[in-house]
Amino acid sequence: MADQQLAAPCSCDCFVAFPPASASQAVIFGKNSDRLRNEVQEVVYFPAAVHPQGSKVKCTYLELDQAEATHAVILSRPAWLWGAEMGANEHGVCIGNEAVWTKEPVTEGEALLGMDLVRLGLERGLSAHGALETITQLLEQYGQGGSCMEDPPFFTYHNTFLLTDRKEAWVLETAGRYWAAQRIQGEYIRNHGDWSDQDKLFSPRVRKWC
């Protein structure tokens, strides 16, 4: 073993642990990122805000109608884009995302990045379930797509999300505008499609497709 050269670890995973799985009796959430080593990463804070009627918000590629009010958020993100890889809001909601590949083709056109959806969910969600509803509604309306890299070559993917608050957590799997979600308890590591038979939600598109 000493003579073997091990490949550098490369993974993008989220995890959550609820008591009693967490020794501190607290909810623990985290994410490991596999972004490029020379990409500038920043941790930023945006305060809660009330927005004038008719306001717009410019995401990485798309401009959307702004919510009447947005929650305070702290985000970990690549500096060049609007969204975030992970973050938390003032109500204790945490969200992280990872890439996932499916049989559904990825969209080469510009749409919402998964990282945009992370921030939108945090800014508009009072709970993990509320953030889930925000993300799925926007996903169905605008779709996901666009390059996830600042420089060429073009690179895009579908997204999976882990959303949690102080009471519950949800896994959200997406492919294009299709999505499915499952409530989870205890401890959980997220990096690939994985389902049990309880507490599931599906988009209408998924039911029709199946």
Side-chain angles (χ1 to χ4, degrees):
M1 290 292 293
D3 295 332
Q4 294 181 0
Q5 291 186 349
L6 299 178
C10 182
S11 64
C12 193
D13 311 287
C14 288
F15 76 90
V16 65
F18 284 87
S22 56
S24 65
Q25 298 302 302
V27 178
I28 302 174
F29 174 89
K31 177 180 177 178
N32 180 65
S33 175
D34 63 354
R35 303 287 301 183
L36 298 175
R37 71 180 70 182
N38 60 351
E39 182 179 62
V40 177
Q41 293 274 338
E42 60 184 11
V43 176
V44 292
Y45 170 77
F46 294 97
V50 176
H51 305 280
Q53 186 175 5
S55 294
K56 301 290 184 179
V57 56
K58 180 64 169 65
C59 301
T60 304
Y61 298 118
L62 296 189
E63 186 176 77
L64 314 182
D65 292 333
Q66 180 61 284
E68 293 182 4
T70 50
H71 311 308
V73 296
I74 185 167
L75 307 173
S76 175
R77 70 177 190 178
W80 66 272
L81 53 76
W82 182 85
E85 284 199 88
M86 65 177 291
N89 72 17
E90 62 184 299
H91 303 289
V93 179
C94 298
I95 308 176
N97 83 306
E98 304 94 25
V100 65
W101 283 267
T102 74
K103 294 180 180 179
E104 186 71 14
V106 295
T107 300
E108 295 187 0
E110 293 182 348
L112 289 173
L113 293 180
M115 290 176 280
D116 291 337
L117 291 166
V118 169
R119 179 171 174 178
L120 288 163
L122 290 170
E123 288 188 338
R124 303 182 183 195
L126 285 168
S127 65
H129 188 267
L132 172 71
E133 291 183 328
T134 293
I135 290 174
T136 54
Q137 288 169 5
L138 292 171
L139 182 69
E140 290 185 352
Q141 184 174 359
Y142 296 101
Q144 59 182 312
S147 183
C148 300
M149 296 296 182
E150 182 177 16
D151 300 316
F154 182 89
F155 180 66
T156 190
Y157 48 76
H158 303 298
N159 288 267
T160 179
F161 304 85
L162 181 59
L163 309 92
T164 187
D165 57 30
R166 295 180 178 90
K167 297 180 180 179
E168 64 177 9
W170 287 85
V171 173
L172 171 61
E173 301 280 358
T174 74
R177 300 188 188 215
Y178 299 111
W179 62 266
Q182 180 177 358
R183 192 170 73 90
I184 57 175
Q185 296 177 314
E187 53 193 295
Y188 198 81
I189 299 175
R190 175 84 240 131
N191 67 352
H192 62 87
D194 184 18
W195 294 97
S196 72
D197 294 327
Q198 302 180 29
D199 298 323
K200 294 180 180 177
L201 298 173
F202 297 95
S203 69
R205 291 173 183 267
V206 165
R207 296 186 183 278
K208 292 179 181 178
W209 188 82
C210 291

XYZ file of all heavy atoms in Angstrom, residues 9 18 38 49 93 96 100 122 132 134-135 160 210:
93
model
N -8.877 12.675 -3.672
C -10.328 12.523 -3.514
C -11.076 13.634 -4.233
O -10.646 14.788 -4.246
C -10.526 12.616 -1.993
C -9.321 13.344 -1.484
C -8.200 12.960 -2.404
N -29.645 14.452 12.536
C -30.572 14.927 13.553
C -30.339 14.152 14.854
O -29.905 12.998 14.818
C -32.026 14.697 13.107
C -32.513 15.673 12.073
C -32.309 15.448 10.724
C -33.191 16.819 12.456
C -32.760 16.338 9.772
C -33.646 17.721 11.513
C -33.428 17.476 10.166
N -8.604 26.457 -8.357
C -8.233 27.863 -8.557
C -9.445 28.777 -8.717
O -9.296 29.950 -9.049
C -7.307 28.000 -9.773
C -7.956 27.503 -11.059
O -9.028 26.899 -11.021
N -7.313 27.755 -12.192
N -34.597 41.816 3.203
C -34.969 43.018 2.457
C -36.427 42.941 2.029
O -36.985 41.852 1.847
C -34.074 43.197 1.238
N -32.945 27.458 7.939
C -33.024 26.584 6.766
C -31.629 26.499 6.133
O -30.969 27.525 5.936
C -34.030 27.112 5.729
C -34.069 26.200 4.501
C -35.413 27.243 6.351
N -27.953 22.586 0.303
C -26.774 22.355 -0.520
C -27.178 21.594 -1.771
O -28.223 20.939 -1.791
N -25.963 15.696 -10.659
C -26.467 14.343 -10.860
C -26.736 14.172 -12.355
O -27.153 15.113 -13.030
C -27.737 14.085 -10.009
C -28.899 14.960 -10.450
C -28.129 12.622 -10.058
N -33.366 29.645 -0.212
C -33.007 30.211 1.089
C -33.620 31.597 1.282
O -34.075 31.932 2.383
C -31.487 30.289 1.219
C -30.762 28.948 1.355
C -29.251 29.150 1.224
C -31.091 28.286 2.689
N -38.381 23.936 -0.468
C -38.643 22.897 -1.470
C -39.719 23.348 -2.451
O -39.571 23.207 -3.672
C -39.061 21.613 -0.767
C -39.558 20.462 -1.638
C -38.413 19.850 -2.427
C -40.236 19.394 -0.790
N -40.579 26.439 -3.155
C -40.031 27.527 -3.966
C -39.188 26.984 -5.110
O -39.348 27.377 -6.278
C -39.171 28.463 -3.092
O -40.004 29.138 -2.154
C -38.439 29.496 -3.943
N -38.276 26.080 -4.806
C -37.366 25.548 -5.819
C -38.132 24.785 -6.892
O -37.884 24.961 -8.094
C -36.300 24.654 -5.160
C -35.341 25.511 -4.335
C -35.533 23.849 -6.218
C -34.332 24.712 -3.529
N -29.278 17.724 -7.619
C -29.944 17.147 -6.464
C -29.675 18.061 -5.279
O -28.603 18.672 -5.194
C -29.464 15.709 -6.195
O -30.128 15.189 -5.047
C -27.970 15.661 -5.953
N -44.081 8.832 -16.141
C -44.071 7.427 -15.710
C -45.290 6.674 -16.282
O -45.243 5.476 -16.448
C -44.094 7.340 -14.190
S -42.564 7.924 -13.424
